[in-house]
């Protein structure tokens, strides 16, 4: 039996987003300042606060809408709803300008499509952004976002939703990602096969479950589907 589907992380696997959400928050800061709100510190301090807020949001502590509400509320904005809508508009408008597919990704995806190999994306984040980022990377298949699933990587429920969507046994699905903790450990625990994308010559943490394969060129995922299960 051969593995018959490949699923991907997005950030630093298919594309880089160049801190698109941080940029959108900084744009909001300008609007807050212009509408009578109050900055809480210097621009460097505000950037640090934005990064900390986004880190908590990505860990699943709250939604991106809630992150925007918290951000503007802490800066004296009484009616956050227009800011939430504005934030989403800013981010989505920036995708084509800021998100960049990683080298080899469009060619690799074209090759997988030509071979009829099922693919999917599983990414932590809010759905419209993850969808647009995947499209920007040239990915045309299903995109699952943690905000819709209700669980974020490395939670095995996120990977279970991915496997359900593909309609295959977990051991027939490869998950390809750059993050040992969220991608490799999570997918391994859920029974998927794992490929660590290590484009930067990093060392894999010795205390984590190891990947089934290590690739340094994203096009090497094409060879994964030729590996029989259990190899
Ligand atoms: Mg990543």
């Amino acid at each position: 039996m051969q593995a018959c589907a490949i699923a991907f992380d997005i950030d630093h696997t298919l594309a880089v987003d160049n801190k698109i959400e941080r940029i959108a928050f900084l744009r909001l800061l300008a609007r807050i300042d212009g509408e009578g709100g109050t900055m809480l510190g210097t621009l460097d301090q505000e950037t640090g606060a934005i990064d900390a807020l986004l880190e908590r949001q990505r860990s699943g502590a709250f939604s991106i809408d809630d992150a925007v509400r918290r951000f503007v509320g802490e800066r004296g904005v009484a009616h956050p709803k227009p800011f939430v809508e504005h934030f989403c508009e800013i981010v989505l408008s920036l995708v084509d300008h800021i998100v960049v597919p990683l080298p080899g990704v469009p060619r690799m995806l074209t090759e997988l499509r030509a071979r009829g190999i099922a693919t999917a994306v599983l990414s932590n984040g809010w759905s419209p952004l993850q969808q647009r980022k995947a499209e920007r990377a040239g990915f045309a298949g299903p995109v699952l976002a943690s905000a819709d699933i209700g669980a974020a990587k490395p939670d095995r429920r996120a990977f279970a939703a991915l496997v359900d969507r593909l309609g295959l046994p977990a051991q027939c699905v490869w998950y390809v990602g750059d993050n040992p903790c969220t991608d490799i450990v999570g997918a391994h625990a859920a029974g998927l096969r794992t490929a660590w994308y290590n484009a930067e010559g990093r060392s894999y943490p010795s205390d984590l479950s190891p990947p089934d394969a290590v690739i340094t060129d994203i096009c090497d995922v094409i060879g994964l589907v030729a590996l029989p299960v259990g190899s």
Side-chain angles (χ1 to χ4, degrees), residues 172-190:
C172 292
V173 178
W174 280 94
Y175 191 74
V176 182
D178 68 297
N179 188 304
C181 296
T182 55
D183 297 329
I184 305 305
V185 172
H188 175 76

Side-chain angles (χ1 to χ4, degrees), residues 25-218:
F25 269 109
L26 288 170
R27 292 262 191 99
L28 280 192
L29 205 54
R31 178 173 170 181
I32 290 168
D33 192 40
E35 296 189 14
T38 309
M39 287 178 61
L40 298 184
T42 64
L43 198 53
D44 277 353
Q45 289 169 331
E46 289 285 14
T47 301
I50 290 166
D51 289 347
L53 181 71
L54 284 169
E55 187 172 335
R56 289 187 64 205
Q57 188 273 319
R58 291 186 187 119
S59 74
F62 39 79
S63 70
I64 193 69
D65 288 8
D66 286 339
V68 176
R69 289 188 196 97
R70 285 167 182 247
F71 184 74
V72 300
E74 289 167 354
R75 288 157 183 80
V77 172
H79 303 292
K81 186 178 178 187
F83 285 82
V84 174
E85 294 167 355
H86 191 200
F87 175 85
C88 295
E89 290 168 6
I90 293 170
V91 173
L92 296 178
S93 73
L94 289 173
V95 168
D96 286 346
H97 305 284
I98 291 181
V99 176
V100 180
L102 285 168
V105 166
R107 181 161 50 92
M108 176 271 295
L109 293 174
T110 298
E111 182 66 24
L112 292 179
R113 273 196 298 274
R115 295 180 182 216
I117 296 165
T119 55
V121 155
L122 171 64
S123 182
N124 286 351
W126 48 293
S127 183
L129 175 57
Q130 304 313 317
Q131 183 72 47
R132 288 290 304 278
K133 283 162 65 171
E135 291 169 1
R136 175 76 178 122
F139 184 80
V143 177
L144 286 77
S146 61
D148 286 343
I149 296 168
K153 299 181 295 182
D155 191 317
R156 68 170 60 200
R157 291 172 298 175
F159 292 96
L162 170 67
V163 169
D164 281 351
R165 178 60 185 263
L166 287 165
L168 295 166
Q171 68 268 27
C172 292
V173 178
W174 280 94
Y175 191 74
V176 182
D178 68 297
N179 188 304
C181 296
T182 55
D183 297 329
I184 305 305
V185 172
H188 175 76
L192 287 74
R193 306 182 79 190
T194 55
W196 182 44
Y197 179 36
N198 181 21
E200 299 167 2
R202 294 173 294 155
S203 297
Y204 193 88
S206 58
D207 57 337
L208 299 181
S209 40
D212 296 304
V214 179
I215 58 172
T216 55
D217 181 332
I218 196 65

